[in-house]
């Protein structure tokens, strides 16, 4: 089963993606994580991406499409895949659909997570992430057992450089102009689209996501 997690920054795509992938043994393709890894590795892609990410703008479509194509080619056959943060523009969605077709895959479900800008801003300002397993915490809403350290693997957590007030506002604007139209795009496709309230507790959201996917 191939699933897209769609929604604004901070709505819980990463949080739910890790839980679901762990429970179902699915792979995750998270373009934000791939770009951060490229930046940390100092690759040309990472250096180019950094100038867009630091101000909350989207990285150019062609760079993203090439990166995802490479990632998809390396996935083991027959595994379920969760796409988090991709696609984010109509150009990406249409290139993605051609890529999937060529590989004999298709998007089965699109899960749209929704929450108000106030909730998103509060969540993002307290976010801490594990660079190793991708687990996401929040200093106020979902703190780790030991401050600053991942519960799962003991790795020190980090605070994302783009989680600043100014950048978050731009990311919310970019989401509504560039990415939100993809909801209508997928509603007009063969994928099944489910809208889920992301401003509930993590377990409640997870329960609704699993129910929507029938898993
Ligand atoms: P990316 O890394 O994808 O960031 P994003 O889409 O802005 O999403 P976030 O990671 O901020 O939020 P999330 O929904 O995953 O929430 P999370 O689970 O962490 O992209 C970063 C940048 O990379 C972009 O701005 C762009 O520049 C570039 N980029 C990436 N993909 C691209 C693409 N395809 N094209 C072009 N450019 C691209 O949760 C947030 C917080 O809330 C955490 O603290 C968490 O603990 C807490 N939380 C989560 N759920 C709950 C809950 N139910 N209750 C209480 N707290 C909760």
């Amino acid at each position: 089963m191939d699933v897209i997690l769609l929604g604004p920054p901070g709505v819980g795509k990463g949080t739910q993606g890790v839980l679901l992938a762990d429970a179902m043994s699915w792979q995750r393709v998270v373009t934000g994580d791939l770009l951060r890894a490229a930046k940390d590795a100092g690759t040309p892609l990472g250096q180019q991406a950094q100038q867009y990410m630091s101000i909350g703008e989207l990285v150019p479509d062609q760079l993203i499409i090439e990166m995802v194509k490479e990632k998809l080619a390396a996935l083991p056959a027959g595994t379920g895949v969760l796409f988090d943060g991709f696609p984010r523009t109509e150009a990406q969605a249409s290139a993605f659909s051609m890529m999937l077709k060529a590989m004999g895959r298709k998007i089965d479900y699109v899960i749209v997570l929704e929450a108000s800008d106030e909730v998103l801003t509060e969540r993002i300002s307290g976010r801490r992430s594990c660079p190793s397993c991708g687990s996401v915490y929040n200093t106020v809403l979902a703190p780790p057992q030991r401050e600053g350290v991942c519960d799962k693997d003991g790795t020190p957590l980090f605070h994302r450089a783009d989680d600043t007030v100014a950048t978050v506002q731009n990311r919310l604007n970019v989401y509504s102009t560039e990415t939100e139209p993809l909801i209508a795009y997928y509603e007009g496709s063969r994928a099944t689209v489910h809208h889920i309230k992301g401003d509930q507790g993590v377990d409640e959201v997870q329960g609704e996501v699993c129910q929507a996917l029938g898993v």
Side-chain angles (χ1 to χ4, degrees):
M1 186 188 294
D2 286 349
V3 178
I4 294 174
L5 294 175
L6 190 63
V11 76
K13 303 181 296 294
T15 302
Q16 296 300 327
V18 168
L19 294 171
L20 201 53
D22 281 357
M24 302 300 300
S25 300
W26 287 345
Q27 299 282 321
R28 296 169 68 224
V29 173
V30 186
T31 44
D33 287 354
L34 292 172
L35 293 169
R36 280 182 286 277
K39 183 195 126 219
D40 291 348
T43 67
L45 166 66
Q47 285 164 8
Q48 270 181 286
Q50 169 57 15
Q51 52 187 300
Y52 299 96
M53 295 172 81
S54 63
I55 53 169
E57 289 294 323
L58 294 181
V59 174
D61 288 333
Q62 208 44 45
L63 294 177
I64 298 288
I65 290 164
E66 286 307 316
M67 181 179 79
V68 171
K69 206 182 268 180
E70 213 174 286
K71 181 75 186 167
L72 275 182
L75 286 176
T79 182
V81 184
L82 275 174
F83 296 91
D84 166 352
F86 177 85
R88 254 169 151 111
T89 63
E90 290 210 14
Q92 291 181 19
S94 108
F96 186 37
S97 122
M98 285 192 277
M99 260 186 246
L100 290 172
K101 199 169 173 194
M103 297 174 79
R105 308 184 76 111
K106 67 176 172 54
I107 294 300
D108 300 291
Y109 291 96
V110 178
I111 300 292
V112 182
L113 297 175
E114 297 165 330
S116 69
D117 284 4
E118 290 70 30
V119 168
L120 301 173
T121 309
E122 186 196 7
R123 284 185 180 178
I124 289 175
S125 58
R127 171 171 39 203
R128 298 292 181 274
S129 311
C130 175
S132 172
C133 70
S135 292
V136 189
Y137 300 87
N138 189 288
T139 50
V140 180
L141 305 166
Q145 284 163 11
R146 208 150 55 89
E147 196 184 328
V149 175
C150 180
D151 291 345
K152 276 196 201 157
D153 54 29
T155 306
L157 303 176
F158 75 102
H159 185 204
R160 277 173 43 179
D162 60 345
D163 281 352
T164 61
V165 175
T167 308
V168 168
Q169 190 50 55
N170 195 38
R171 283 159 63 196
L172 292 172
N173 295 342
V174 168
Y175 174 78
S176 71
T177 54
E178 301 282 347
T179 308
E180 213 168 13
L182 293 187
I183 298 172
Y185 175 96
Y186 281 108
E187 280 171 344
S189 77
R190 298 222 301 251
T192 304
V193 179
H194 289 284
H195 292 251
I196 291 176
K197 280 163 64 65
D199 57 0
Q200 314 174 74
V202 171
D203 293 346
E204 284 75 22
V205 178
Q206 190 190 6
E208 290 195 16
V209 170
C210 290
Q211 196 181 8
L213 298 178
V215 298

